[in-house]
Amino acid sequence: MLKRSPLDRSVSFRNQLPRVERGWLAGQLSKLPGIATALCDCDGVDDLMRASVVLGRERLGFVRMGIWLLDDDGACATGTFGVDMEGKVIDERGERIFDNSGYIRDMMEAWRRSPHYFEKPIDSLRAADSAVVGRGVRITVPLMAKAEIFGFISVDDLIDTESVNDRAGPLLCQFAQVVSSAYQMRKMQDELERSRQQVSEAERVQSEFLGMMGHEVRTPLNAMMGYAQLLKSRAVGGEIEGIAQTIEESGRHMKGLIDSVLEYSHLSSGDVKRWYKPGDPLDVLRSTVQSFEEMYRGKGLVLDFCFEGRHVPVHFDAVSLRQVVSNLLQNAFKFTERGGAQVRVFSRIEPDATEFFIEVKDTGIGIEEAHQRKIFEPFRQVSGERGRNLGGIGMGLAIVKRLVVAMDGEIACRSVLNEGTVFTIDLKFDNVTEADPSGPGDVPIRDRASSRVLIVDDDETNLEVLQSMAKCLGFVNTDHARNGLEARDLLAEHPYDIVLLDVQMPRMDGLSLTRIVRSGEVCPINREVPIVGVTAYTSKHDREECLMVGMNDYLPKPVMLDSLRRVLDLA
């Protein structure tokens, strides 16, 4: 658009505008809903302004139109898009109008008195070099939001058009309201998107920091707990076994605290449904309860499991379900001194899904009614001084809540002080509609002494611990490498029965080495060798990444003897 000349107040303009029939305005106004719909589909503010000019020309007949945005004090207007003297839509975002003549000030004062249109007939319209290119009628209307003027739309008749007439002002006012509403909506959407990106970035930074923190803590913890387990296995009875037991229990407690913080962080933006796989939740629930039986017996507590319903394969995340029940059983164990706990499961099969009702009941100290509304908040200890004396950082139930919600489920709690607590969970999973291919049959376990194991870790202490733990389990034929390049060379020369591979290493990490091995180009003799990732990064994403590159299993640090025995039996 062109720069405006000073307002000539000496001209009476009303009789200068061509008159049109009364029905013209009604016909033009009927086009505004379609214009509003089209503007809602614009991708951004710039796209919106360009579309407004184009639609104003094509549908309303305003051949020459421009849209300008005002700065905070109204002393300057910035261009968006307009129409040149040849009738082409042009980009005017680099144009500025400074209100040296007071033209913008006069318009804003008139609009504040009565928000309407501002006409100036027989006006001198100037080009960017201030040359007068013609005299004609100009109509200007404000763009307003929350009773504040943030810009204006201007049309003129330097190119012949029937739309600049005595009814154009009211039409242009309605058009400006449509543009203003679309502009404000677009601004709000852009602001929401910026906020979302900021939150996403903050979560990413937090996740990276906590992942790094977990890695740095787990690495020395792996050595401490590994040596404690070895010491306990060799010192049967006496003071040394007691010391080793204390070290191991303290390490387990620290590991649990780290796991709780990291798990809660990963859940803040994760979607557990992407980990859904076909399976039977009952098998997961039963094995989870069985894994706690020895711990409960050691405290003199009873742990029961019962199920009513039918076995049915569904799509679910076994890891998340196991985490939910494990946290509830750990919580019951911590706060129960007599009696014990019971896990009851009921299933109800529907045509497309199966609903599972899980009840975890204990005879512990209970929860005060005033605290029951807060039990799922992170970092909450809700059982008073008795609860705080039992340790923990109050993350277990917060993780349970997030996991259940992530699986579109519900969880509730009822409790009586000094009598016990009952947690009820309601989950629904889609049924498996087609038979999944059966997995491989049981593979006979080789003689451990003859199995050749390659252990790869860049930390000397962890390397020694893993070798000692493997020998403790009967795997005495072990080789070692301190980085991916050394391991690659060994794999190219010698056949191995299994590889324990640190994921995070300098020079070549475990993921890269696994890709090379599976390609068969460098290490053809070990192309199918079982590879177990050993890492201090323990999120579901890390686990999935290990499996995607071709690893057979995943072993989190600190490594426990039972877990190591399980994966070494893949050899």
Side-chain angles (χ1 to χ4, degrees), residues 222-342:
N222 182 63
M224 181 183 77
M225 293 186 66
Y227 278 128
Q229 292 173 88
L230 290 171
L231 184 61
K232 189 174 71 171
S233 67
R234 294 172 183 174
V236 181
E239 182 181 6
I240 298 299
E241 184 181 8
I243 292 173
Q245 179 70 26
T246 301
I247 295 173
E248 183 182 357
E249 290 177 355
S250 298
R252 287 180 182 272
H253 179 67
M254 181 179 292
K255 175 181 178 293
L257 298 182
I258 296 169
D259 288 344
S260 294
V261 173
L262 295 181
E263 180 71 18
Y264 190 81
S265 169
H266 294 314
L267 283 172
S268 64
S269 58
D271 178 13
V272 301
K273 290 185 177 180
R274 60 179 173 157
W275 310 108
Y276 277 20
K277 294 180 179 179
D280 188 348
L282 179 60
D283 293 338
V284 174
L285 294 170
R286 179 180 284 111
S287 65
T288 301
V289 173
Q290 290 174 348
S291 68
F292 280 85
E293 288 176 349
E294 183 177 351
M295 184 173 74
Y296 270 68
R297 281 196 298 268
K299 195 176 179 180
L301 300 175
V302 176
L303 179 59
D304 292 329
F305 176 81
C306 61
F307 170 72
E308 294 182 19
R310 289 166 47 195
H311 289 263
V312 57
V314 296
H315 296 280
F316 75 110
D317 179 20
V319 175
S320 294
L321 184 60
R322 183 179 290 110
Q323 180 79 51
V324 167
V325 178
S326 294
N327 282 18
L328 292 177
L329 288 176
Q330 288 171 355
N331 201 66
F333 178 81
K334 183 189 299 184
F335 295 107
T336 302
E337 296 299 327
R338 58 177 178 78
Q342 182 185 56

Side-chain angles (χ1 to χ4, degrees), residues 473-492:
L473 295 173
F475 294 87
V476 296
N477 189 10
T478 64
D479 293 335
H480 68 269
R482 292 177 175 81
N483 57 62
L485 294 179
E486 291 183 11
R488 182 194 62 187
D489 294 341
L490 289 173
L491 288 164

Side-chain angles (χ1 to χ4, degrees), residues 514-536:
T514 301
R515 293 188 186 96
I516 292 174
V517 172
R518 295 301 185 225
S519 71
E521 296 178 2
V522 179
C523 316
I525 58 175
N526 287 297
R527 183 172 186 173
E528 303 298 330
V529 64
I531 300 177
V532 178
V534 184
T535 178

